[in-house]
Amino acid sequence: MLTLLAPAKVNLSLEVLYRRNDGYHELRSIIQSLSLCDRLSFSPAKTVQISSDSPDWQAEHSLVSKAVALFSEKCGQGRGVNLTIAKRIPLVSGLGGDSSCAAAVLKGLNKLWGCGYPRWRLMELGAELGSDVPFFMMGGTAMMEGRGETVTPLPTLNQMWAVLLVPEIEMPPDKTAALYRNLHTDSFSSGEISDKLLEDICQGKLSYSSCFNVFEKIAFTLFPDLAKYRWQFLEAGAYQIFLAGAGPTLFTLLKDKNMAEKIYHNLCQKGHQAYLVSTLGPLD
Ligand code: C5P
């Protein structure tokens, strides 16, 4: 049996440069993977069977089954797999769980079926599945550009602690597309915010003032309940709160583990769905 971890991520910066002619948006984003991981187990089988321990997770609506179908078409005709997923990353949370699992599926089947595709080819296939998938082929700290398919690994951040607060807000199924649709040209930026953050990271530091998410304003408008969660996060002791990707998860980053634990416990006491995790370097 082969087991792979599929980590969650947050965007430390997420800038949209402009709207492209193909309808997508040109991005510049620095992404960081987290120690909160789904776990995928692959074993040989005659047919394709996919299951998970999460009652709310449906294989047919996930990128996982799309990844299996795509990889079968490219390399695994007639081959099977028994794939089980221990889901730990909350669904539709902005933490990239589905994309990360899709990347792990491509990596796992490549090994299980002995296809020997190089990483760049797996990244190409990943980009066919979704804009965030190529990043998860390596994880760690990376700059993401283009539609998401251009990923440049960056020096690994010194370990930091992240507290995640997952609001109980129902998200529309096309949440990400809806956020992009609602962006105005005045939300676009030049990429300088990510460049500044990149400079900080290369010097081994991370300054909160350089963190940025283009969706933040629009998410608080489209999902007004987010403000209530933000307020409760502040009350729990956090002072720099960011939106994770397309949300609705909110997060704070800290160097001090004791402080992170305090905030995490305060949130749990109030009955929130919260996680205390650390930043994670690249997976092999
Ligand atoms: O690539 P993915 O399927 O994750 O994208 C979901 C939606 O987000 C796309 O249909 C598109 O509307 C939007 N998107 C975009 N520009 C990007 C990535 C995604 O407009 N770079």
Side-chain angles (χ1 to χ4, degrees):
M1 169 157 4
L2 169 70
T3 301
L4 293 181
L5 291 177
K9 61 87 184 161
V10 287
N11 300 70
L12 300 177
S13 69
L14 177 51
E15 284 183 272
V16 168
L17 276 52
Y18 54 89
R19 188 161 196 272
R20 302 168 14 154
N21 292 332
D22 62 4
Y24 281 88
H25 292 77
E26 186 72 16
L27 304 180
R28 187 167 301 167
S29 172
I30 295 185
I31 310 196
Q32 173 62 54
S33 52
L34 301 176
S35 63
L36 174 64
C37 294
D38 290 342
R39 182 182 294 266
L40 291 84
S41 303
F42 303 79
S43 47
K46 290 213 168 81
T47 57
V48 171
Q49 299 148 38
I50 306 173
S51 60
S52 101
D53 60 357
S54 162
D56 297 331
W57 186 83
Q58 291 171 305
E60 63 277 20
H61 292 137
S62 74
L63 286 180
V64 164
S65 51
K66 286 189 183 151
V68 173
L70 179 66
F71 204 74
S72 298
E73 181 201 313
K74 300 292 174 196
C75 161
Q77 280 94 345
R79 282 189 250 199
V81 60
N82 185 359
L83 171 57
T84 56
I85 307 182
K87 282 298 291 176
R88 296 296 171 267
I89 305 171
L91 307 179
V92 203
S93 59
L95 295 167
D98 201 23
S99 300
S100 189
C101 282
V105 165
L106 299 179
K107 278 193 248 180
L109 293 182
N110 193 38
K111 270 199 192 147
L112 189 77
W113 292 343
C115 301
Y117 282 15
R119 185 154 72 186
W120 64 264
R121 179 67 182 129
L122 295 179
M123 287 176 78
E124 265 183 7
L125 293 178
E128 287 184 37
L129 296 167
S131 303
D132 281 350
V133 180
F135 161 74
F136 287 110
M137 282 307 164
M138 48 187 119
T141 313
M143 174 79 90
M144 181 171 99
E145 290 169 286
R147 202 199 101 202
E149 75 286 7
T150 308
V151 182
T152 310
L154 300 181
T156 303
L157 274 188
N158 292 331
Q159 191 180 48
M160 293 187 75
W161 302 94
V163 183
L164 313 174
L165 166 57
V166 186
E168 282 178 39
I169 300 177
E170 195 157 338
M171 291 279 117
D174 68 338
K175 165 194 73 168
T176 307
L179 286 170
Y180 275 110
R181 260 199 318 274
N182 278 281
L183 290 178
H184 297 292
T185 47
D186 59 7
S187 316
F188 300 168
S189 48
S190 63
E192 275 176 20
I193 301 172
S194 302
D195 289 344
K196 168 78 182 70
L197 187 59
L198 173 63
E199 239 175 69
D200 287 354
I201 290 172
C202 290
Q203 289 169 14
K205 56 184 192 183
L206 176 74
S207 102
Y208 299 118
S209 58
S210 307
C211 291
F212 171 78
N213 183 341
V214 67
F215 292 138
E216 202 151 307
K217 244 193 212 164
I218 195 74
F220 277 85
T221 308
L222 290 182
F223 313 113
D225 282 350
L226 260 184
K228 184 181 80 189
Y229 287 92
R230 189 173 185 283
W231 177 244
Q232 293 183 13
F233 212 166
L234 289 170
E235 277 189 337
Y239 54 93
Q240 289 282 356
I241 297 167
F242 305 100
L243 182 74
T249 299
L250 300 172
F251 72 97
T252 190
L253 267 180
L254 296 131
K255 290 193 185 103
D256 179 351
K257 189 178 181 194
N258 290 334
M259 187 67 195
E261 277 173 346
K262 233 183 240 167
I263 297 170
Y264 166 71
H265 288 304
N266 287 343
L267 289 174
C268 291
Q269 260 175 6
K270 290 264 154 95
H272 288 298
Q273 187 184 355
Y275 297 83
L276 173 59
V277 300
S278 67
T279 55
L280 189 72
L283 301 173
D284 54 329

